[in-house]
Structures are given as C-alpha cells and as structure tokens.
C-alpha cells in the first residue's frame, strides 16, 4: 500500500502531511469528504501534488487507514510479558472496541475484505491477538485450539463494533460489547488453571502451545505431536 521506492526527507514530509490531513477529514466527515480537492485545500497545496504520491482516492484512503491503524496497533502491542494473560486478552478486546467506535470511518474501510486483506497494520493487529491467545493457551486456560479462539474473538469483536456503529449513539446498548466478550470467553476459556479434572482439551491445547519447544524430540516427532494435539483440540467430544 505504500510506495517502495526511496523518497527524500522532503517528499516523505509532504506525504505524511497529506495523510494526516486526509485522516482528519476522514475522522470528522467520513470517506466522502476525502476528495483530492478537499485534501489539497486543507493541506495548503495544489491538487496535482496529491497525485504525485497517490494514484487515486482509494490509494489515499488505504494510506490513511494504514496510518491510523498502525498507530493503534503499535500501542496495542505494548503488553508486559508478566501481565495476566486473560487480563491482557480482555484489555485487547476493550481497546479494539474503543478504537472501532472512535474511528468509525477507518474501521469501516478495514472491514472491507479487499482493503483489510492487504493492510500490513491489520495483519500486525491479528498477530498481536494471536500472541495474546497463545499466552492464554500456554497457561492452560484455553479449551479450544488457538486458531479457533483467534477466529472467534476476531469475528465477535468486529461484529460487535459494526452492530454498535450501525445503531444511533443514543440507542446503543452500552453492555453489548461486554456481553459478547463474556459469551466468547465462556466458550473458549476454562474456569480454572489446568489441568481441570474434566478438561482434557485444555490440557491438549496447553501442550500444543509449547510443543514446538519441547526438548528431546525430532522435528518430525514435534510435527506429529502437534497434529495429534490439534485433532484432540478440535474434537467436539472433548469440548474443543
């Protein structure tokens, strides 16, 4: 989404100025307000200057969404290693919902499958979620596979934000996001540290999280163990 050829400091500053102005217009007035003429006027430059950096309006919107999301993801990634993994997961959920409600236009752009799929910042955001879920799994507190947990959390979080954004602010249910989080965590988290007497899946998922680092096993043995544990985690008879 960003030009790969080297740019001078002056060109970089001009590009950053364009993106910052466009981001302000997007936040204040929505995507329809981000026209070449409006951005150029607000940035104090001629409209043709915009086209030296961005092929069209869509390219500019991509850059704006990436800029806003990258700033958010950088802050989201700052989690202490020693923090409680479940608390960190909840903090990430709250931050995701807060970001979406505070940046409806950007969130709308990123939920477009075409744009979101090519966003480096969106990919980085999912990586942060995967890391947090992995820490929960390593603590033995996950009753489903890590992949299933990530997909459920991501889908629920995106759905909750979109539902709230589609509702007039004065009609929004302030407890909707919390209720959605509780529903998801009831399906993916164990009630206590592992291994619970009736929770073989939690134990399998916890071992799967550390399987790549187990000593005394060959690469093929680790791969086979991981395959077995993935099957156990996905087996509905064991709660996965």
């Amino acid at each position: 989404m960003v030009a790969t050829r080297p740019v001078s400091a002056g060109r970089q500053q001009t590009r950053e100025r364009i993106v910052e102005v466009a981001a302000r217009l997007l936040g204040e007035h929505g995507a329809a307000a981000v026209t070449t003429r409006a951005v150029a006027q607000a940035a104090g430059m001629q409209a043709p200057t915009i086209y030296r950096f961005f092929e069209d309006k869509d390219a500019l919107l991509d850059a704006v969404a990436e800029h806003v999301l990258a700033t958010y993801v950088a802050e989201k990634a700052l989690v202490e290693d020693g923090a409680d993994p479940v608390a960190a997961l909840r903090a990430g959920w709250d931050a995701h919902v807060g970001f979406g409600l505070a940046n409806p236009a950007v969130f709308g752009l990123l939920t477009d499958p075409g744009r979101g799929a090519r966003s480096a910042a969106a990919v980085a955001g999912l990586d942060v979620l995967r890391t947090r879920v992995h820490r929960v799994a390593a603590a033995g507190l996950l009753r489903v596979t890590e992949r299933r947990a990530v997909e459920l959390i991501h889908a629920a979080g995106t759905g909750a934000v979109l539902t709230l954004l589609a509702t007039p602010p004065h009609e929004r249910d302030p407890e909707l996001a919390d209720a959605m989080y509780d529903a998801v965590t009831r399906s993916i988290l164990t009630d206590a540290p592992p291994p619970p007497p009736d929770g073989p899946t939690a134990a399998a998922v916890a071992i799967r999280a550390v399987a790549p680092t187990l000593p005394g096993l060959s690469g093929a043995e680790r791969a086979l163990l991981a395959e077995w544990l993935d099957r156990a985690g996905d087996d509905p008879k064991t709660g996965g």
Side-chain angles (χ1 to χ4, degrees), residues 198-214:
D198 59 346
T201 298
V205 172
I207 297 172
R208 176 64 179 88
V210 298
T213 63
L214 290 176

Side-chain angles (χ1 to χ4, degrees), residues 127-165:
D127 285 342
V128 172
L129 175 58
R130 291 189 185 99
T131 297
R132 293 187 178 183
V133 168
H134 179 76
R135 292 182 63 231
V136 173
L141 301 175
L142 206 60
R143 68 169 72 248
V144 299
T145 62
E146 292 181 43
R147 177 177 177 178
R148 173 65 63 83
V150 169
E151 290 175 345
L152 284 171
I153 295 168
H154 180 63
T158 299
V161 173
L162 289 176
T163 298
L164 290 169
L165 290 177

Side-chain angles (χ1 to χ4, degrees), residues 7-156:
V7 295
S8 66
R11 280 183 58 83
Q12 184 63 28
Q13 289 176 357
T14 301
R15 186 184 189 283
E16 290 174 356
R17 170 64 177 161
I18 293 170
V19 171
E20 289 171 358
V21 169
R24 189 181 74 243
L25 291 175
L26 180 67
E28 293 176 352
H29 306 293
V34 185
T35 64
T36 302
R37 177 177 298 180
V39 172
Q41 183 176 2
M45 60 185 64
Q46 298 297 315
T49 302
I50 308 295
Y51 291 108
R52 297 174 188 169
F53 298 88
F54 304 100
E55 181 179 357
D56 52 27
K57 177 180 175 178
D58 278 348
L60 177 56
L61 286 173
D62 283 345
V64 170
E66 190 75 2
H67 167 73
V68 176
L69 184 61
T71 301
Y72 159 67
V73 170
E75 297 172 351
K76 180 181 177 182
L78 298 177
V79 179
E80 294 293 335
D81 290 339
D84 175 80
V86 175
L89 191 66
R90 177 57 195 256
W93 172 277
D94 290 341
H96 177 78
V97 173
F99 172 82
L101 295 180
N103 301 273
V106 170
F107 196 85
L109 290 173
L110 292 169
T111 52
D112 176 337
R115 279 198 168 92
R118 64 177 184 263
S119 167
V123 172
L126 274 176
D127 285 342
V128 172
L129 175 58
R130 291 189 185 99
T131 297
R132 293 187 178 183
V133 168
H134 179 76
R135 292 182 63 231
V136 173
L141 301 175
L142 206 60
R143 68 169 72 248
V144 299
T145 62
E146 292 181 43
R147 177 177 177 178
R148 173 65 63 83
V150 169
E151 290 175 345
L152 284 171
I153 295 168
H154 180 63

